[in-house]
Amino acid sequence: MLEQIKSTTAFIQSKISFQPEIGIILGTGLGGLVKEINIKHTIPYEEIPNFPVSTVEGHSGKLIFGELGGKSVVAMQGRFHFYEGYDMLQVTFPVRVMKFLGIQKLFVSNAAGGVNVNFDIGDLMIINDHINLFPNALIGKNLAELGPRFPDMSDAYNSGFIAKAKQVAAANNIKVQEGVYAGLTGPTFETPAEYKYMHAIGADAVGMSTVPEVIVARHMGIPCFAMSIITDLGVAGKIVPATHEEVQHVAALAEKKMTLIMKELIKLI
Ligand code: HPA
């Protein structure tokens, strides 16, 4: 795997002369952030050796390099989900490549179902911890060059970034929730009993991404920040059939707020 990471990194570096300091995974709700990036280079995933190709509707695949909030960034437009059939090495491969390209911080977004009774559809949630219900992305031989066999997860979501993001939200009159994200495989949305179970075990929101990427980033020592858009509710009495279209629709409505927080946070840190 190390050889693949190195050869993919070398390929990208042969195409561009640019050293990113921040990596961004433009999940649901952050598509608009691309418009804020002063783009220097774009590389479609299909041109990048060893990169999987994204298949999900609403996600197109490219790496975007440019300036945002005075920082040099690399943004993944389109991510790889476990439910698409990629294995965990493939799902997290781009994060490892971004580390080798030089990133020192990772910013991530997603859509999630709210299981906290105080949440509303359209809320933004700053993720302050996660519950991993995927197979762990680090199962397999550990590569000491990447990180330790038994990585610490006590500060999976950087507390300094969380504090600054809350300041940015308050300064811009944006309501934000904060909570625990449970990551599970999908592709089914949860049954009412499963939503109840997620709440019972300590989750505030549930989704199908982010956790593998953050685990792999933390393995390599990268501080992470992640936010969810609550696109549907798994709260007793408020459960309605969940659809991909509704998730995309609600996410589009909340996108401006999430984009602003991410952009201002990147400026600040
Ligand atoms: N469950 C899982 N993933 C999701 C949901 C949900 O309710 N909403 C958006 N992504």
Side-chain angles (χ1 to χ4, degrees):
M1 175 177 51
L2 202 54
E3 281 319 303
Q4 286 186 334
I5 300 169
K6 285 181 179 166
S7 71
T8 300
T9 305
F11 168 84
I12 292 169
Q13 285 169 336
S14 75
K15 294 266 168 196
I16 62 166
S17 52
F18 187 84
Q19 156 114 36
E21 57 178 299
I22 291 176
I24 307 171
I25 303 180
L26 299 168
T28 307
L30 266 189
L33 195 63
V34 171
K35 294 190 208 90
E36 309 281 336
I37 301 175
N38 176 12
I39 299 176
K40 299 269 163 52
H41 310 275
T42 299
I43 312 181
Y45 291 162
E46 57 266 26
E47 289 177 16
I48 305 177
N50 305 315
F51 251 54
V53 174
S54 184
T55 61
V56 187
E57 207 184 311
H59 299 261
S60 58
K62 38 179 129 68
L63 277 187
I64 295 165
F65 297 85
E67 304 287 339
L68 175 68
K71 306 275 180 356
S72 48
V73 304
V74 51
M76 286 177 66
Q77 191 176 54
R79 61 144 63 93
F80 304 102
H81 301 86
F82 192 61
Y83 62 73
E84 292 176 84
Y86 302 113
D87 64 27
M88 279 299 177
L89 285 182
Q90 293 174 303
V91 167
T92 59
F93 185 75
V95 178
R96 291 185 160 129
V97 170
M98 289 196 288
K99 163 76 180 177
F100 277 61
L101 287 169
I103 69 160
Q104 290 149 29
K105 299 173 181 92
L106 182 66
F107 292 78
V108 186
S109 81
N110 60 54
V115 294
N116 181 318
V117 292
N118 298 318
F119 286 8
D120 288 317
I121 288 177
D123 277 355
L124 299 180
M125 183 186 91
I126 295 173
I127 301 178
N128 61 17
D129 206 346
H130 72 221
I131 299 174
N132 180 28
L133 299 169
F134 292 95
N136 197 293
L138 297 175
I139 288 174
K141 183 173 155 46
N142 186 59
L143 297 174
E145 295 91 332
L146 299 181
R149 172 72 289 186
F150 300 108
D152 174 63
M153 286 288 145
S154 62
D155 192 29
Y157 300 84
N158 184 272
S159 45
F161 295 168
I162 292 173
K164 288 209 172 71
K166 288 203 273 193
Q167 283 168 15
V168 169
N172 289 280
N173 285 319
I174 298 172
K175 174 188 164 198
V176 281
Q177 307 277 11
E178 188 180 336
V180 175
Y181 175 92
L184 27 69
T185 67
T188 49
F189 292 110
E190 290 66 38
T191 64
E194 287 166 343
Y195 281 127
K196 195 172 165 189
Y197 170 59
M198 291 299 127
H199 182 53
I201 64 171
D204 297 293
V206 288
M208 307 174 194
S209 68
T210 302
V211 171
E213 295 141 342
V214 167
I215 286 177
V216 163
R218 294 301 301 134
H219 181 233
M220 299 183 296
I222 302 172
C224 297
F225 176 79
M227 274 181 93
S228 300
I229 295 179
I230 304 301
T231 54
D232 52 277
L233 292 175
V235 171
K238 295 190 182 170
I239 299 175
V240 294
T243 64
H244 181 65
E245 290 67 31
E246 186 59 16
V247 166
Q248 298 294 320
H249 173 69
V250 175
L253 297 179
E255 182 165 308
K256 269 210 171 85
K257 292 186 284 179
M258 170 113 94
T259 301
L260 188 144
I261 294 174
M262 286 283 187
K263 186 181 157 192
E264 293 302 315
L265 181 60
I266 286 171
K267 245 189 232 169
L268 272 180
I269 49 110

